[in-house]
Amino acid sequence: MFLWQYLTPLLLIAAQICKVQTCDEFTDLNFGHAFIGTSISIRLLLYTRENGTCGTLLSHTNLSAHPQFKLSRPTTFAIHGYRPTGSPPVWVGNITELLLYRKDVNVIVVDWNHGAANVNYFKAVENTHKAAANLTAFIKRMQEHGASLSSIHLIGVSLGAHISGFVGANLNGAIGRITALDPAGPQFTGTAPEDRLDSKDAQFVDVLHTDIDALGFREPLGHIDFYANGGTDQPGCPKTIFSGGSYFKCDHQRSVLLYLESLNQTCASRAFPCSSYSEFLDGNCLNCDRFGAAGCPVFGYDITMWKDILLKLGHTKTYFTTTTKSPFCMSGYRVDVMIWNKDIRWGYITVKLHYKGTEAVATIDHKSLKFQKYTETRLFAQFDKDIPSVHKVSLKFSNGNVFKPKYKLRVLRIRLTHLERKERPLCRYDIVLEEKREVTFRPIPCEESNF
C-alpha cells in the first residue's frame, strides 16, 4: 500500500506524457472504402517547428485549444487530390518537413480522404465544393482570431487545386497565395472561372502543369503558369500501358516531385516565357529582359521573388525542361552554329561538355535542324547537369535517316553561351563533323569577328 502511494502519481504523470505525445495521422483507407464510397469529412492536421513530425488534430471551432497554433505566424495549407485507392499521399511528410525548414509557419495538412477516396471520380469532384466550404469557415474563424488572409498560402494538388480556388473565391480573392500543382482537368475543362481555379481567387496564383493531355488542366489558370516539358510526357515516366498504374499517374504526380525539389533547393529550374513549347525548344524565347536584373522566373516555392512584376504583366506562360529523375533541373546554353558547306544540311546535334571526369549531355533532336552556308543557326541546348567550367566539348552530327547518304558538316564556327552565368562565350573554329562520329576539342573564348 505504501509503495502505491508513490507509484500512482508517477503512473499518472507518465500517462499524461503519453497522452501529450500522441500524434494524429492522415486517414489511411483502402480500396474497399473507395469501392463502397466515402462521405465528406475534413480533418486538419497541424505541424509547426515545435512538432514538425507529430500532427495535431485541430478543432474546427475552438482554436484556443491548441496553443501551438500561433495565428501571428503565416499559415500554409497542403490540400491533396483524388484518392481512388484510399491510401495517404506519399508526399505529405516530405512537404511538411520542407515547408517548416524553409519558413517558420503553421503547416496544416487538409485531410479530406473521406470524400476523396471513391472509385466514382464524379462524386469526389462533387465533394470538392463541400471541402472548400468547410475550409472557408475555418479560415474565417482564423481571421476572427487575428490571422491575416494575406499570410495564408494554399498548396493544392489536382482536385486540391480547385478546392483552393473555391476557398479563395469564397474569400473574395483576399488569400495571399495559391499554388496549384497540375490542377485536375476532367470535369473542369471548359467550365466557367467560378467553377474552377482562376487567377482572381488569390492575390497571387502560380500553377504547374505536367499532364495536360490526360489528368491535368491544359489552359493557363494563374498569374504565372509553368509547363514542365510542355506539360505532357514527363521524362522517365512509362510510355506504355503495360507499366501498370504508373502509366496513368506518373506524369500527374511529377508536379509534386518538382515542387518538393524547389522547396529543398537542390537546384533551380529557370522557366522562359513563350507562346508554345515548340517555340521554346527552337530557342526563340530566351530573352528575359522584361523581368529585369532577376532574369526569367525560377519555378517553384520562391516564385514570389517575381510577384510584383508578374502581377503587372497580368499573365505569363512559361516553359522549362527536366531530367528523368532528381535532381530534375537542367542547364541551358545557346548554341550558334555556322557552316560553310555549299549545300544545305539537315540533321540533329548532340553536344557534350566535359569537366574533370564529369560529362553533361544535350541532344537537340526535337526536329530536324537546318544548316545553311554562312547563316547562323541558333540552337537551344539543355544539359542534364550544370558543370562549373567547360574543359572540353564533344559534338556529334546525324541526319537521322539510315537510307540517306552520310554527310559531313563543315563548321566554320560554333559558339556556346551559358544562359545563367555572365561569362564569355566559348567558341571553336573550322571543324569537320562526319556523320555519327563524335569529335572532341578544347574550346577557346570567342573573339569578336565580322561573321
Side-chain angles (χ1 to χ4, degrees):
M1 186 66 181
F2 179 78
L3 184 61
W4 277 106
Q5 288 179 333
Y6 292 96
L7 284 178
T8 300
L10 292 174
L11 291 171
L12 289 172
I13 292 171
Q16 287 298 315
I17 292 174
C18 290
K19 184 178 180 181
V20 170
Q21 291 181 339
T22 298
C23 300
D24 293 290
E25 297 183 350
F26 193 97
T27 305
D28 190 358
L29 303 177
N30 56 46
F31 183 73
H33 295 98
F35 184 77
I36 297 170
T38 55
S39 300
I40 188 71
S41 174
I42 308 296
R43 301 171 74 247
L44 302 175
L45 301 175
L46 171 69
Y47 298 84
T48 66
R49 284 186 170 177
E50 293 78 22
N51 65 319
T53 59
C54 184
T56 299
L57 183 63
L58 292 177
S59 166
H60 283 66
T61 56
N62 184 12
L63 301 189
S64 59
H66 313 288
Q68 69 272 44
F69 186 25
K70 297 185 172 79
L71 295 178
S72 58
R73 286 191 291 225
T75 300
T76 299
F77 292 82
I79 311 171
H80 65 88
Y82 181 45
R83 307 303 305 162
T85 65
S87 62
V90 295
W91 49 264
V92 166
N94 288 336
I95 200 168
T96 300
E97 178 184 347
L98 290 171
L99 285 167
L100 291 173
Y101 174 77
R102 292 296 301 274
K103 194 173 182 179
D104 184 15
V105 296
N106 304 305
V107 176
I108 297 178
V109 174
V110 179
D111 173 5
W112 67 289
N113 208 12
H114 277 286
N118 201 315
V119 292
N120 183 352
Y121 173 75
F122 304 104
K123 186 63 178 178
V125 170
E126 180 183 317
N127 286 335
T128 60
H129 293 276
K130 298 175 183 177
N134 184 291
L135 195 52
T136 301
F138 181 80
I139 293 175
K140 284 182 177 179
R141 191 158 282 108
M142 287 175 59
Q143 190 180 21
E144 291 167 1
H145 284 73
S148 167
L149 294 183
S150 296
S151 69
I152 291 177
H153 180 194
L154 306 179
I155 301 175
V157 180
S158 190
L159 287 182
H162 296 295
I163 292 175
S164 301
F166 298 149
V167 172
N170 292 340
L171 297 167
N172 302 311
I175 290 289
R177 179 182 177 187
I178 291 175
T179 295
L181 303 180
D182 208 37
Q187 293 300 107
F188 294 94
T189 298
T191 60
E194 58 268 23
D195 295 322
R196 56 168 171 78
L197 175 69
D198 178 63
S199 62
K200 295 183 177 63
D201 293 334
Q203 296 176 35
F204 183 64
V205 179
D206 54 299
V207 184
L208 172 63
H209 303 262
T210 58
D211 193 23
I212 63 174
D213 57 349
L215 302 180
F217 197 97
R218 179 175 294 273
E219 299 303 319
L221 293 168
H223 294 103
I224 183 166
D225 285 71
F226 297 95
Y227 288 80
N229 305 292
T232 64
D233 300 330
Q234 300 304 308
C237 283
K239 301 298 183 186
T240 69
I241 197 172
F242 300 108
S243 302
S246 182
Y247 172 75
F248 297 99
K249 62 186 180 181
C250 180
D251 293 337
H252 198 44
Q253 290 180 335
R254 182 62 58 85
S255 62
V256 180
L257 299 181
L258 295 178
Y259 196 74
L260 291 175
E261 187 162 282
S262 81
L263 274 169
N264 68 19
Q265 299 177 296
T266 305
C267 55
S269 288
R270 186 78 64 176
F272 297 86
C274 206
S275 60
S276 70
Y277 189 47
S278 59
E279 285 287 302
F280 163 75
L281 291 177
D282 285 345
N284 296 330
C285 305
L286 304 182
N287 190 316
C288 297
D289 292 345
R290 77 186 77 172
F291 300 104
C296 279
V298 171
F299 160 73
Y301 182 74
D302 295 312
I303 187 57
T304 48
M305 293 175 57
W306 286 264
K307 175 183 174 181
D308 291 342
I309 192 166
L310 288 169
L311 291 176
K312 289 178 182 177
L313 291 172
H315 174 260
T316 303
K317 186 177 183 179
T318 65
Y319 295 88
F320 68 98
T321 53
T322 72
T323 62
T324 60
K325 59 183 179 180
S326 184
F328 288 105
C329 44
M330 303 187 81
S331 177
Y333 278 76
R334 190 179 73 231
V335 180
D336 300 295
V337 179
M338 184 182 294
I339 69 167
W340 51 283
N341 295 70
K342 180 180 178 181
D343 299 322
I344 293 175
R345 294 285 183 259
W346 294 85
Y348 311 94
I349 293 283
T350 297
V351 187
K352 294 180 182 177
L353 307 180
H354 305 271
Y355 171 75
K356 293 184 177 180
T358 300
E359 181 180 279
V361 182
T363 301
I364 310 168
D365 61 356
H366 65 286
K367 70 176 187 181
S368 185
L369 307 166
K370 181 181 180 181
F371 300 95
Q372 190 171 358
K373 187 175 183 179
Y374 300 147
T375 301
E376 197 162 64
T377 300
R378 175 161 293 181
L379 313 176
F380 182 26
Q382 299 171 88
F383 293 88
D384 56 355
K385 60 178 70 72
D386 194 17
I387 59 177
S389 180
V390 179
H391 289 179
K392 293 188 296 182
V393 177
S394 297
L395 296 176
K396 186 165 68 174
F397 170 71
S398 170
N399 67 20
N401 193 326
V402 295
F403 300 107
K404 288 184 178 180
K406 290 189 176 182
Y407 293 123
K408 291 181 180 180
L409 195 66
R410 302 180 184 277
V411 178
L412 186 59
R413 181 192 64 200
I414 182 168
R415 180 175 58 218
L416 292 91
T417 307
H418 198 288
L419 295 177
E420 295 281 337
R421 298 194 293 264
K422 302 298 181 182
E423 57 189 26
R424 195 169 174 181
L426 298 174
C427 282
R428 179 70 184 204
Y429 305 89
D430 196 16
I431 57 175
V432 176
L433 299 180
E434 295 185 26
E435 187 162 351
K436 296 183 179 179
R437 290 192 62 183
E438 191 171 272
V439 174
T440 302
F441 54 85
R442 291 188 179 275
I444 60 173
C446 296
E447 300 289 343
E448 295 297 328
S449 65
N450 295 321
F451 62 83

